[in-house]
């Protein structure tokens, strides 16, 4: 790392002069300024962010706590978060919390020690009381963390309704929803509620299958195989696209045709799924808009810790019709 | 953020006493120490990392510069990096550089300003001269950055050989390799070289199709459709799995059967592809091992900036036989 002395030496001036240029202090000739700036560029010198932040300024660091970027949904979300924050001069410290509450707790402590300016959190480890007392601006994606932390999410309830409507319209009579384990206070439960409420308007019956979010694809595949083997359902709503891909995989292995034998609707509609599985009918979350709102709220809270925000910000979903519900 | 005064108040001691406990200075009773530690825990107090790092200590931050985590390969790699570094007490600052050399350059400057302890870099923007003068420990994944920066990669050459052997063994006569645009000094070129060298041992002919890494899936799909429509090739090696998924998609749309009409081998073998596309024959990179070696080397360089390291560290690949080459 270059020091003031290195720059002074290269520019052929004193360290005091370099310091004056950096702090824009005293009267200096344009020629001297140019020499110093050139030396700073040459040596890749950066005024020290850490020193600035100790003086009460910001670190320009944001902590991002999500289940894990190996999942294409969170991969796309983190890429959006990083990209949008970069344009505003912030960097992110990434934490993949998985289903590990202890790791999430450790990260909260470390993010405080690194003095991040704020946190975006959307992990699945609810009930972490530490969120209550972090004392930093936090915005949550799709999870209830505490009364003071605003939640940004897609319109999970309407998404559930859309899925039910789509399956009914395509002629399904025996419906099934496959969803992560039910959690109290989780906004994603609204996908189930919307689905239920819509079906309640008809005479159709349906079953609920819960598979833990943290189950491996192999375990999920086994449970789906068991379900499909009974040949009792002809319409399935999976509350995430990856589970829907497993349904297609298992249906194929069992010689069942999608959509002839069983219709299928997913949820998420990432760029990845739209590019590599355009055949899947799915409810698309507006990831880019969700991120834009989260960042907007977070920067407001960073500017003013006490600014008034809503409890919930809900963004519209969109049905993408593929070939699995025709 | 809790201050010394907050802790002093809660513990019922003076701020000076708190400071003494934290800095382990002067004689203090066990009872006093316990009270102070309990108050620190209660208030989630962390001795300030920034202040420590200004005294020349480490920030425990590592910069990670990769093309983008929305790609499942880099998603899995970043999750591994974060997870393994977390266990060693480090956090990561994530930069998705995409194909944006300017962004990568900006990040390098910002990472220096944030005083990261080191950098793991594997972006596709070669020839960035700034890497030469960063003055921080850097380890590269699969890319040549400068003479002083060690490269860790999978055995790209042997992977190319394996792909050629597999296609020939399954009876392909007219072969094709689809690969990212050729870049000088890029170790991934070895996938092409290995493929070529293996075919040179036979009488078989083959063609090379180059598609830029940054082309969208739609653009890639169009080029693949054009290729397949000619019905001239019966064996394809894609140097990444996502392109192989597009070949399967386009073949299906054209009514061509895989593997009957055209055999297919991919490269990468992420957990994602193994779970959601087990039908794809592919060359698996040992992501977890690659990450382990990168971190091991980086921590060595952080401890001793001048320690001697090799130029290249090559890890073995493994053929995963699916149903696309039977």
């Amino acid at each position: 790392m270059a020091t003031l002395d290195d720059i002074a030496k290269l520019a052929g001036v004193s360290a005091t002069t370099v310091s004056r240029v950096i702090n824009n202090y005293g009267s200096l000739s344009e020629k001297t300024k140019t020499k110093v700036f050139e030396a700073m560029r040459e040596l890749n010198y950066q005024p020290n962010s850490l020193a600035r932040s100790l003086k009460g300024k910001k670190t320009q660091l944001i902590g991002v706590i999500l289940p894990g970027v190996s999942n294409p949904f969170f991969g796309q979300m983190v890429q959006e978060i990083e990209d949008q924050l970069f344009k505003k001069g912030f960097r992110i410290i990434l934490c993949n919390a998985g289903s590990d509450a202890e790791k999430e707790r450790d990260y909260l402590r470390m993010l405080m020690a690194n003095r991040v300016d704020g946190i975006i959190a959307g992990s699945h480890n609810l009930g972490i009381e530490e969120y209550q007392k972090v004392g930093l601006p936090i915005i949550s994606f799709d999870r209830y963390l505490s009364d003071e932390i605003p939640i940004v999410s897609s319109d999970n309830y309407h998404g559930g309704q859309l899925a039910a409507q789509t399956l009914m319209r395509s002629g399904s009579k025996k419906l099934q929803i496959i969803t992560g384990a039910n959690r109290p206070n989780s906004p994603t439960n609204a996908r189930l509620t919307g689905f239920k409420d819509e079906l309640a308007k008809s005479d159709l019956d349906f079953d609920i299958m819960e598979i833990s979010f943290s189950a491996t694809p192999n375990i999920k595949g086994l449970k789906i195989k068991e379900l499909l083997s009974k040949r009792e359902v002809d319409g399935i709503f999976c509350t995430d696209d990856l589970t829907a891909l497993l349904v297609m995989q298992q249906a194929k292995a069992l010689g069942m045709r999608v959509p002839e034998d069983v219709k299928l609707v997913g949820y998420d509609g990432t760029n990845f799924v739209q590019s590599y599985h355009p055949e899947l009918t799915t409810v698309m979350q507006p990831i880019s808009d969700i991120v834009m709102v989260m960042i907007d709220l977070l920067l407001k809270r960073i500017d003013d810790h006490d600014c008034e925000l809503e409890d919930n910000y809900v963004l519209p979903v969109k049905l993408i019709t593929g070939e699995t519900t025709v």
Side-chain angles (χ1 to χ4, degrees), chain A residues 131-174:
Chain A
Y131 277 103
Q132 306 266 16
K133 51 181 176 184
V134 166
L136 281 171
I138 303 179
I139 305 296
S140 166
F141 168 64
D142 225 9
R143 296 288 176 275
Y144 174 83
L145 294 173
S146 91
D147 284 344
E148 281 72 42
I149 298 175
I151 303 172
V152 181
S153 60
S154 70
D155 193 342
N156 292 297
Y157 183 82
H158 184 56
Q161 287 184 304
L162 275 178
Q165 288 163 10
T166 307
L167 288 172
M168 288 192 286
R169 203 182 309 122
S170 70
S172 298
K173 301 290 179 202
K174 292 162 291 181

Side-chain angles (χ1 to χ4, degrees), chain A residues 81-154:
Chain A
I81 291 172
E82 184 269 337
D83 205 53
Q84 292 190 26
L85 279 174
F86 170 74
K87 288 176 185 147
K88 294 180 185 295
F90 289 85
R91 274 81 65 202
I92 64 170
I93 294 183
L94 177 66
C95 162
N96 300 295
S99 49
D100 185 345
E102 197 48 52
K103 183 175 179 186
E104 191 165 337
R105 203 169 281 128
D106 282 349
Y107 255 101
L108 279 179
R109 290 200 196 104
M110 294 191 300
L111 292 176
M112 289 165 71
N114 280 115
R115 289 227 172 149
V116 297
D117 295 332
I119 294 174
I120 291 176
S123 79
H124 287 245
N125 312 306
L126 297 180
I128 295 187
E129 60 191 20
E130 276 88 338
Y131 277 103
Q132 306 266 16
K133 51 181 176 184
V134 166
L136 281 171
I138 303 179
I139 305 296
S140 166
F141 168 64
D142 225 9
R143 296 288 176 275
Y144 174 83
L145 294 173
S146 91
D147 284 344
E148 281 72 42
I149 298 175
I151 303 172
V152 181
S153 60
S154 70

